[in-house]
Amino acid sequence: MTMTGAAELGTIALDGARKTRGNQTRTRIRVLMLFIAAALVLIVGKLVTLGGTDTTANIEGRALDEITATRPAILDRNGIEMAVDIRVPSLYAEPNRMVDKPGAIAAILSVLPDLDENVLRERLNRDKGFVWIDRELTPAQKDDILRLGIPGLDFVTESRRFYPGGTEASHIMGMVNIDNKGTAGIEARLDRDNVALLQDLGFARDRELSPVSLSIDMRVQHALRDQLEDALSRYQAVSAAGVIIDVHTAEILAMVSLPDFDPNAPTSFSEDWLDKKNQRFNRITLGRYELGSTFKTITFAAALDSGAVKLTDSFDARFGIRFGKYLIDDFHGKHRVLQVPEIYKYSSNVGTIKMMQTLGSENYRAFLTRMGFDDPLKVELPETIVSVIPEKFSEVGAATASFGHGLSVTPLHMAQAVAALVNGGILKPATLYPRTSAEADAIGTRVVSQETSARMRYLLRLNALEGSGTHANKLADGYRVGGKTGTAEKVENGQYVADRNLNVFASAFPVDDPHYAMVILVDEPKPENQQSGVTAGWNAGEVTGRVIARVAPMLGIRPDFAATVDAALVPPELGRPVVTTDKDSTF
Amino acid sequence: MFSRERKTPLAEWWWTVDRGLLGAFLLLLGVGVVLSFAASPAVAEAHDWGTWYFVIRQIAFAVLGGMLMIAVSVLPHRLIRVLAIAMLAGSLVLLLATLQFGEEIKGARRWLSLFGYSFQPSEAVKPAFAVVAAWLFSEWMVRRDMPGWQIATVLLAVIVAMLLRQPDVGQTALVVFTWGVLLFLSGISWWVIFGLAAIGLGGAYGAYLFFPHVTERIDAFLNQADSGVYQVEKAIGSILEGGWLGRGPGEAITKRYLPDAHADYVFSAAAGEFGILFCLLLVALIGFVALRSLRGAVQQNDLFARMAVAALASQFGMQSAINLMVNVNLIPPKGMTLPFVSYGGTSMLAVAVGMGMMLGLMRKRPEEQIATGLPAYRSALGQPT
C-alpha cells in the first residue's frame, strides 16, 4: 500500500518535472520568436526609412522636378503662341558611377571640343554624385553623347518659359519664377487651377501638357499696344492703358497697360519708370480710378431705364448747383435749358445731377451695384482690385458720383458696363478664356432693357458725331464709333490737382450693331501741338479712333459711310433726328 | 499519388509535412533564381565568365537544393540524427583539410577544392552542429547523468577554433548563437544567460581588438560619415536608387558596382531593380519561415525534435536577419549569405539539408499520439527517444 503510493508519487513527481521543463522550453522558444521578430521589424523600419528618403531631390540646390517641370503652352484665340516651354537637354555626370574617367574625358571632348579639358577633369575627379558638364545642348550633340555609351553620363531636360511676343502681352501673361511656378498674370492663375498640382504629382515632368487658349487676339493686342506706345510719346503721357472686350461674350480681346515689362526678363517688372517705383502694374485690372464723365453714360442709363427720365425731357442747366460751400458747374457750360441728349453731348454736370436727382440717389446707388461696380472682377488674373464706392451717397456725394467723381473703379469694370449697355442690356463678367455668346448669356444678368440699350447706343453715337467724341469718330471714319470722354483731375495727397488729368474714353463700335467695347486711359497727357487741347477727346479719344481704324478691318467690320446708319439709331420718341441740330442752336 | 487511402511513403510524407513552410522554401528558391538574373550578370561579366555563368549555376543549385531538401525531409528522426552526425564529422574533417590545403580568397582560408568543385565546409557545419547539439542537450535534459551539454560545448570549442583559424567570424558567431539558443532552451537560469551574454559581448570586443579585418569593418561602420565602406555605400545607393517601386528588371545601375551583388548583397541589388516594396515582401516571407518553424517547434512533443527544430529555425532566422541588417547597413558587413536566395553552392545545399532536416523533424507523427493515448495538445510531455 505505502509502496504503491511511493511509486505513484515518484511517477507523478517525474511527470511534473518533465511537464515544467516542457513548458519552459516552449516559453523560451516563444522568447526566441520575439527576438527574431524584433530583428526583422528593425530591418523593415530601416527599409521604410530608406524608401522615404528623397534621392533625386536636389541638383545643386534646385529640385530636379523644378528644372524639368513643364507648363502648358498658352495660345491666343487664333492659335498663335503667347507662351511656350523651351526644353533643352543638359549633360551631367555622376563621377562616383564612372568607370574609366580618362577615357570618358577624351570621348566627351570629341563631341564637345569647346569644353576646357582641365575643368572637365577637375569636375569628374570630384567624388560627388552630380556635376554639370554642359548646359543646353542641341539634340544632335545629345545623340552623339548617347552614342559614346559612357556609363555615369546622363541628361536632364531643362524647361525654360519663353514668351515669343516679349512685352506684347506682359500683363496678361504675368511671369514664372526660376522654379517654373507662375507668380503673376495668367501663369499664376494656371498654377492655381491645375498646373502646380500636376507638377507636384509628377505628371508635368518631361512631357507636354495640352495648350491653353486665351480669348486674346494677338493682332488686336499688338495694334492696341502700338497705339498706346504712340500715345505715350505723342502726348508725353506718364502712362496709358486700354482694353477691348467683345460685348456679346465679354471675352477680352486685348489688354495693354504701359509702362509694361518683359516676361522673359522678370526683373524688368521692378525697373523704375520716370524715376518712380512700382509703375509697371496692370492699370486695367489693378488700377482704380475716378473715371470722370464716362460715368455719365451709367447715370443716363440708370435714369432712362427707370422711366423717371425720358430722352425728350429737358433740364435747366443755366446755373450751377450749390451744395453748402461747393458750387458745381459745367466745364464748357451752355448755361441754358438742355434736352437730355444735349446734356450728354455737352457733358453737362448740372444736367446730369438733375437727372440723377429725378431718379433718386438711392436708386442711382442701387443701379451702380446692378452694373457690377461693387463686385470684384471675375477676370482670371490675380492682379485685381475692388472698387471704392461709398455704401450710401450723401446729397453731394451722389451729385459728384453722377459725373464720376468720388468713386473709384477699374477700367475693366467700366468696359464691362459699357458692353452691357450696348449689347442689349446684359452684364457679363469679362474673361480671358474663350467662350461663346450663349455661354456668356447663361451667366449674364439683365441690367437694363433692350430699349434703354438702344437709347444708349444712340447717345454714344451722338456724342461721337457731335460731342467730345468727334476726334475719335474722324479717325475711325466709317466704323461707327460711339463713346464718351472722361477727364478726371488726379488726386495727389488727398487733393485734386488741377493741371494733372487722367483722361478716359469709353466706347463701343460699330455702334449700330455693337461688337466691341473699349476703354482707353491716357494719364497726364500734354497737348500734342499748339492747336490741340488737353481734354480726353484730344488724346484718349484720338487713340480710340486710331485703334479702331487699325483693328476693325482685322475683326471683319466693314466700313459704312451711309448717313442712314446713324439716322436709324435715333429713337422714335425724338421724332426728328437730334443729330441734325446745329451745335450752337439756341432754344 | 498523394491519396490518403493507400499509405505510400510519398503520400504519407505529403500529408504529414508542413506544406506552408515547404511552399515558402520553394518560393525563396524561386526568388533567388529571379534575383540572380538581376544581380549576377554584372558580376559574371566583371570576371569574364560569360553573362549567365551565375544564373545557370543558381538554377542548378536551386533545383538540386529543392530536391535535397525534400529527400532529407522524408527521413525519420533516427536517420536524420545519423545524417547530422555523419555530416558534422565529415565537415569537421573538411574544415581541418581547409586549414591545411584551402585556397586563400580575400584574406581568408575558407574554400576547399574537391574534384574540381570548390567547397565551403563552414556552411555545412552549421546545420549539422545544430541537430547534433540539440540531440545532446535533449538527452542531457531527460537524463541528467548523460554529459550532453558538456560534449556539445567541447564540439563547439573545436568548431570555433577551426573557424577562427580561417578566420570566419560570421560563421563562428552563428554557430555560437546556435549553441546559445540550445543552452537557453535547456532551461539554464537567466543569471547564467546574462553572464554568457556579457562574455559574448566581451568576445565580440575581443574579435574587434584581435582580428584586423573585423577592426577595420567595425571602425568603418562607426565612422561611416567620413569613410564609408565601398560595399555598404553601394548597397545603400542601390536601395535608394530603386525607391519604393524599383527601376525595373535590368534597369538599375548602382548594383553593377556592388561587389558580391549576387551573393551577400543580393538583397540590395534586388531593391534597386524591384524596389523596397518587393524587399518588404521578401522580409515578410523570411519572417514567415522563421516564425512558422519556431511555432512548429513549440508544437513538437518530442524534446529532441523540439530542440533541433528550434535550433535550425533560429539559425535560419538569425542568418537571414544578419544578412539583411548588413544590406541595410544596420550592422557592419560580415560574410553571411541570405539562405536560399544568395548565390553559393555549398551554402545553398547546406541550407537545403538543414531545412530538410527541420521539415522532417516537424512532420506529424500519429504514432506518438497512439503511444500516449492522448491527443497532441494534451501530451505536453515529450516521448523518451
Side-chain angles (χ1 to χ4, degrees), chain B residues 21 92 189 270 351:
Chain B
L21 211 47
L92 280 178
S189 88
V351 173

Side-chain angles (χ1 to χ4, degrees), chain B residues 146-163:
Chain B
M146 152 104 192
W149 78 268
Q150 292 91 331
I151 300 173
T153 308
V154 169
L155 263 177
L156 173 77
V158 172
I159 294 167
V160 165
M162 289 200 274
L163 285 179

Side-chain angles (χ1 to χ4, degrees), chain A residues 513-535:
Chain A
D513 175 22
H515 277 87
Y516 303 101
M518 173 162 34
V519 173
I520 295 288
L521 265 72
V522 180
D523 193 5
E524 294 184 28
K526 320 282 178 294
E528 188 183 353
N529 52 48
Q530 295 293 315
Q531 287 77 42
S532 52
V534 77
T535 51

Side-chain angles (χ1 to χ4, degrees), chain A residues 14-15 18-19 21-26 28-40 42-53 55 94 96-99 127 151-152, chain B residues 141-142 177 181 184-185 187-188 190 193 234 239-241 244 253-254 257 267 276 280 283 287 290-291 294-295 297-298 300-301 306 310 314 317-318 321 324-325 328-330 380-381:
Chain A
L14 187 61
D15 268 10
R18 280 178 173 175
K19 217 166 244 177
R21 200 163 55 226
N23 286 337
Q24 190 183 40
T25 46
R26 286 193 165 98
R28 290 199 169 182
I29 289 173
R30 291 196 180 96
V31 173
L32 269 182
M33 288 168 82
L34 272 181
F35 179 73
I36 294 208
L40 294 179
L42 258 180
I43 293 159
V44 167
K46 178 77 187 237
L47 277 175
V48 170
T49 319
L50 288 174
T53 312
T55 46
E94 292 167 289
N96 56 14
R97 285 189 181 179
M98 298 188 79
V99 187
D127 189 26
Chain B
M141 285 166 74
V142 175
F177 170 79
V181 164
F184 173 65
L185 295 184
I188 55 163
W190 284 98
I193 294 167
K234 292 297 169 195
I239 297 173
L240 288 176
E241 184 189 5
W244 287 110
I253 297 165
T254 318
Y257 308 95
F267 186 74
I276 288 169
L280 289 175
V283 172
L291 297 181
L294 280 173
R295 204 194 63 181
V298 171
Q300 296 305 312
N301 294 319
R306 192 190 304 155
S314 47
M318 198 61 195
L324 297 183
M325 284 175 158
V328 299
N329 198 26
L330 279 171
L381 178 62

Side-chain angles (χ1 to χ4, degrees), chain A residues 314-354:
Chain A
S314 295
F315 291 88
D316 183 359
R318 282 174 297 177
F319 313 105
I321 303 175
R322 182 169 287 281
F323 295 97
K325 58 179 181 173
Y326 299 104
L327 176 72
I328 298 175
D329 207 344
D330 289 348
F331 188 62
H332 293 300
K334 296 289 165 202
H335 299 293
R336 57 179 171 84
V337 174
L338 297 170
Q339 209 188 6
V340 168
E342 291 176 309
I343 296 173
Y344 192 72
K345 180 170 82 176
Y346 299 131
S347 198
S348 162
N349 293 344
V350 176
T352 309
I353 292 168
K354 288 194 170 163

